[in-house]
Amino acid sequence: MVRDLAPSELSADSSSGAALPALLREAGRQAGRHGRVQVEVAVHGDPVPLPDQVATALLRTARGALANVTEHAAARRATLTLTFHAESVSVDIRDDGRGFDPAALSSRPGRGRGLAGIRARAVALGGELVVESAPGEGTALAVSLPLGPSVVVR
Amino acid sequence: MISVVLVDDHPVVRAGLRALLAGQPDLEVVGEAAAADQAVSVVRGTAAAVVLMDLNLGVGPGGAEVTAALRQLATPPQVLVLTTYDTEADLRAAVDAGAAGYLLKDAPPEELFRAVRATARGETVLAPIVAARLMGRSGPSAPRLTEREVAIVELLARGLPNKDLARRLLISQATVKSHLSHIYAKLGVDTRAGAVARAIEQRIIRPPG
């Protein structure tokens, strides 16, 4: 079972939806500095305060995905998009790097561990992880999580 | 006598307007322009009272920008936007730029003459459908798409498949599909073609091409 402690910056944000976008922008900036990849962060829809677990999952997904980008992708640009809908919220990380074959990943024990953790966190919150990639075509990773009474925490 | 300057990048349209207005004893066309810089110098030179402004002027600054520039003149004219198919965003741009009024080109000539006179008097002229939309009442079921959703429908209208949509917007195809289901729900449709048709009908996007 995956346990997450909510970063204190997120727990403190009870009155607005601004904390998560700001933390994502910071994560983007850091990845850009360390990985020599240009990271852009975009927010769409109306930001709302999110349950701690949801915000934490999205933030860790973004950080994990950005780590993968800087380590494996050989990308020049990555775009991190946070999208708010009425009943769900999602984060996409898309890079223009070398891409990979998602089917090949599961057969290599050392790699892909980051994705398994991200997927487990998403599923535990009633959401899902999608990985879209192909050699030479960059990579897009998206986690979407439901909001509201339909959130099921297993 | 109300002096009028015509600003439209189509010579045939300017000629037609000139001929129409020539039949009105109290309206006189004192100048014409096909583009932004011409418009400002012609209006300044003629000190016209009313400018009939098309919003789309081909290459270069559009009608909203020109309107803003004209309103900065020492004796600014009243600008009546006279244009074809336009979206709500265009409408707001024109009004924000200081246009006194907004008429669609499918208005009958009598309405055009009335509008020019009213504009010269400093009155706001808005075609009823346009007024309703500005006040947020654009019809019984007015779908409100977000900026992102409008961008997606514009790309749908160009026939792009999901993979290209995702690449263009720098997101995953999964998120594209999520946007599409929200768009379909808001527009009351269940196909891409339906979404495009409805969006055009509701003037959320222009017809492509």
Side-chain angles (χ1 to χ4, degrees):
Chain A
M1 186 153 127
V2 174
R3 285 193 175 275
D4 282 312
L5 294 177
S8 57
E9 314 97 310
L10 282 172
S11 311
D13 178 58
S14 57
S15 59
S16 79
L20 179 61
L23 287 169
L24 290 175
R25 287 193 174 99
E26 182 52 36
R29 270 192 294 272
Q30 289 195 5
R33 274 198 298 269
H34 296 144
R36 286 173 305 172
V37 57
Q38 188 188 331
V39 181
E40 278 148 27
V41 178
V43 180
H44 292 281
D46 298 319
V48 293
L50 298 170
D52 283 352
Q53 286 174 308
V54 170
T56 302
L58 294 174
L59 183 59
R60 286 178 191 261
T61 296
R63 287 176 177 159
L66 287 170
N68 281 345
V69 170
T70 54
E71 266 175 75
H72 304 301
R76 273 178 320 207
R77 273 182 70 197
T79 304
L80 198 159
T81 304
L82 177 65
T83 305
F84 289 88
H85 291 295
E87 75 300 332
S88 67
V89 60
S90 63
V91 70
D92 288 54
I93 299 94
R94 185 169 184 128
D95 69 69
D96 64 357
R98 63 168 75 116
F100 66 96
D101 179 359
L105 212 64
S106 51
S107 62
R108 300 182 60 176
R111 290 178 141 234
R113 198 165 281 159
L115 288 181
I118 292 174
R119 177 172 280 119
R121 244 190 305 271
V123 167
L125 292 170
E128 64 169 0
L129 162 73
V130 164
V131 180
E132 298 163 7
S133 190
E137 292 189 13
T139 301
L141 188 151
V143 160
S144 73
L145 301 173
L147 296 175
S150 59
V151 175
V152 174
V153 178
R154 296 188 196 103
Chain B
M1 184 65 83
I2 298 171
S3 54
V4 180
V5 162
L6 309 173
V7 179
D8 192 305
D9 61 329
H10 294 123
V12 169
V13 171
R14 294 197 308 269
L17 286 171
R18 196 180 260 280
L20 266 183
L21 294 172
Q24 298 298 302
D26 61 330
L27 307 178
E28 184 189 9
V29 175
V30 300
E32 294 182 19
D37 42 6
Q38 260 187 332
V40 175
S41 60
V42 167
V43 172
R44 198 188 274 130
T46 58
V50 174
V51 172
L52 281 182
M53 175 78 69
D54 189 8
L55 278 191
N56 301 304
L57 296 174
V59 178
E65 257 188 84
V66 179
T67 298
L70 292 175
R71 295 295 297 165
Q72 298 288 322
L73 293 175
T75 41
Q78 297 292 354
V79 176
L80 175 62
V81 168
L82 179 69
T83 190
T84 54
Y85 188 100
D86 284 302
T87 65
E88 190 172 323
D90 298 322
L91 200 157
R92 284 186 195 276
V95 169
D96 287 345
Y102 195 106
L103 254 197
L104 298 177
K105 274 181 184 167
D106 61 7
E110 293 70 32
E111 211 177 298
L112 171 65
F113 307 145
R114 263 200 302 274
V116 173
R117 291 173 188 123
T119 302
R121 285 194 298 268
E123 291 169 19
T124 298
V125 172
L126 289 172
I129 176 79
V130 165
R133 206 172 321 139
L134 264 189
M135 292 193 279
R137 294 190 316 258
S138 44
S141 55
R144 283 231 156 248
L145 298 191
T146 65
E147 215 177 293
R148 187 69 149 180
E149 288 167 345
V150 172
I152 288 174
V153 177
E154 277 169 354
L155 293 173
L156 282 187
R158 292 200 241 155
L160 293 185
N162 286 355
K163 188 168 179 180
D164 293 345
L165 280 172
R167 189 177 295 142
R168 189 77 73 98
L169 299 170
L170 298 171
I171 52 179
S172 64
Q173 290 181 54
T175 297
V176 167
K177 288 179 198 163
S178 169
H179 278 302
L180 287 180
S181 22
H182 287 94
I183 289 167
Y184 292 173
K186 284 188 182 180
L187 295 177
V189 301
D190 51 19
T191 63
R192 289 166 112 78
V196 172
R198 191 92 216 280
I200 290 172
E201 172 203 309
Q202 290 284 325
R203 307 212 153 171
I204 293 167
I205 64 168
R206 286 193 194 85

